[in-house]
Amino acid sequence: MKPFDYIRADSPDQASDHAAQGGVFIAGGTNLLDLMKLEVMTPDALIDINRLDLNQIDETDDGGLRIGALVSNSDLANDTRVRRHWPVLSRALLAGASGQLRNKATTGGNLLQRTRCLYFYDRAMACNKREPGSGCAARDGFNRSLAVLGTSEHCIATHPSDMAVAMRALGAEVETLTREGETRRLTLDQLYRLPGDRPDIETVLAPGELITAVVLPAPVEGRQTYRKVRDRASYAFALVSVAGIVEMQDGRIARADLAFGGLAPKPWRDADVEAALQGEAPSDALFKKAADVLLRDAQGFGENDFKLPLARRTLVSVLEELTEARR
């Protein structure tokens, strides 16, 4: 590990100022420290933000929740309000890591964790995300766990977060504080960038911009679930995951909110999939049509070709569960 300075921030403004000068925020460090040990990330300074007052879960005036960026994954998953009204989020968090990691990992850090692509972690291999312009060894390499949607010729890495998938389905927004002291609010779709020709730039956050909270809107009617397909039942990243919320009225789908993990460089949501379901009576044919819409632009790269039929089966199964339909 290369030498670095360590700074304890006493205020958000101080933290942002130090980070804008080349430092990196650290809270739980569950991903960052691994990357530093491998010298994939070599920040000049770590700015410890654990002293900041960002570890509360507060109810909003409209019936939602404001989740501080330093709230641990364990505390968020086990919050009574989350379990009762936003169970898809609790389930995603509990599926996301071991208990020890959940105790340390934070809400803000979970959103900003880096891909687990093997080539990103291996400094001997070409990776545009780690070293722009070096190439993407994953495209013709071992890409079993990598993306089939939203990719580019420069990168096929997947976003690893389970929590972010559930938050995308719930319509959560991220609050940030810029170095200039301004507050921004971004949807998750706005927060994350697709790789394009600069996969090393993963979000729209400016230098020194600090995530301070995530805001959940008021709960909606309907059944919620989180389905994660992985290689083993214990701690493992998703091959395919689906966060779903479906409201039924008079035997038809009144509302469907769906987000997908393990398929793309960011938590994936497709309004056309939801539109294909809305107003329709549940059926096997309808669910397969929704899967066709989801995967219309999907592309496998050899090892990960199996993700296309796996995503199809997983979506159909989740929709059967949420609509209580049986084939």
Side-chain angles (χ1 to χ4, degrees):
M1 185 182 292
K2 291 187 176 180
F4 58 89
D5 293 330
Y6 174 76
I7 302 165
R8 281 183 171 174
D10 293 319
S11 69
D13 290 340
Q14 185 187 68
S16 294
D17 188 59
H18 283 299
Q21 298 177 50
V24 173
F25 300 124
I26 185 170
T30 56
N31 183 210
L32 175 59
L33 293 179
D34 287 340
L35 293 170
M36 291 178 65
K37 291 174 185 177
L38 295 170
E39 296 188 2
V40 173
M41 292 183 67
T42 56
D44 295 328
L46 293 184
I47 297 90
D48 188 337
I49 60 173
N50 283 294
R51 290 184 174 182
L52 306 185
D53 186 21
L54 301 174
N55 60 354
Q56 303 298 319
I57 304 175
D58 299 311
E59 297 179 15
T60 62
D61 292 340
D62 62 356
L65 287 182
R66 185 178 185 276
I67 304 160
L70 294 179
V71 172
S72 74
N73 286 180
S74 289
D75 287 346
L76 183 57
N78 292 304
D79 185 272
T80 303
R81 294 161 295 183
V82 173
R83 295 178 65 181
R84 180 181 298 121
H85 299 298
W86 297 272
V88 63
L89 177 56
S90 181
R91 292 173 184 174
L93 285 161
L94 293 173
S98 66
Q100 294 93 329
L101 285 172
R102 289 196 300 269
N103 288 342
K104 291 295 293 182
T106 62
T107 300
N110 187 299
L111 291 175
L112 297 181
Q113 63 182 298
R114 311 294 299 276
T115 183
R116 265 49 176 202
C117 174
L118 298 175
Y119 298 95
F120 175 68
Y121 273 73
D122 188 347
R123 294 170 56 230
M125 305 301 294
C127 174
N128 289 315
K129 185 179 286 292
R130 188 186 65 250
E131 185 179 347
S134 64
C136 177
R139 289 180 64 91
D140 298 317
F142 183 72
N143 50 49
R144 184 174 184 275
S145 65
L146 301 183
V148 296
L149 290 169
T151 62
S152 76
E153 62 179 299
H154 301 281
C155 185
I156 61 171
T158 46
H159 193 273
S161 174
D162 291 284
M163 182 194 79
V165 177
M167 286 185 168
R168 183 85 199 270
L170 290 167
E173 294 184 327
V174 177
E175 283 188 2
T176 71
L177 180 69
T178 69
R179 188 185 183 189
E180 293 74 28
E182 298 177 352
T183 299
R184 286 209 293 170
R185 185 176 283 196
L186 304 164
T187 66
L188 265 67
D189 188 42
Q190 293 169 332
L191 173 67
Y192 296 115
R193 288 168 42 102
L194 290 177
D197 60 359
R198 288 300 305 271
D200 57 308
I201 306 175
E202 298 173 345
T203 73
V204 298
L205 299 179
E209 190 166 4
L210 173 67
I211 292 178
T212 55
V214 175
V215 179
L216 293 181
V220 296
E221 297 295 327
R223 295 168 60 92
Q224 301 182 23
T225 195
Y226 185 74
R227 182 79 59 84
K228 180 177 182 178
V229 182
R230 45 189 164 176
D231 282 325
R232 60 183 187 273
S234 61
Y235 174 40
F237 295 98
L239 296 171
V240 174
S241 65
V242 182
I245 307 160
V246 171
E247 179 186 359
M248 299 292 295
Q249 290 182 3
D250 300 323
R252 294 184 177 272
I253 299 171
R255 175 191 178 111
D257 299 321
L258 300 165
F260 304 87
L263 298 178
K266 67 179 185 179
W268 195 258
R269 188 168 178 178
D270 189 333
D272 291 338
V273 176
E274 297 168 6
L277 295 166
Q278 190 169 359
E280 301 291 336
S283 69
D284 184 54
L286 176 66
F287 300 158
K288 289 179 177 178
K289 175 184 175 182
D292 287 339
V293 175
L294 171 67
L295 299 170
R296 62 191 182 279
D297 297 321
Q299 177 188 0
F301 296 91
E303 296 274 355
N304 67 350
D305 289 351
F306 76 97
K307 283 196 174 189
L308 278 66
L310 180 61
R312 179 182 301 277
R313 292 194 300 269
T314 305
L315 175 57
V316 170
S317 178
V318 165
L319 289 173
E320 288 176 349
E321 176 186 344
L322 291 174
T323 61
E324 298 185 300
R326 295 293 184 268
R327 285 185 288 179

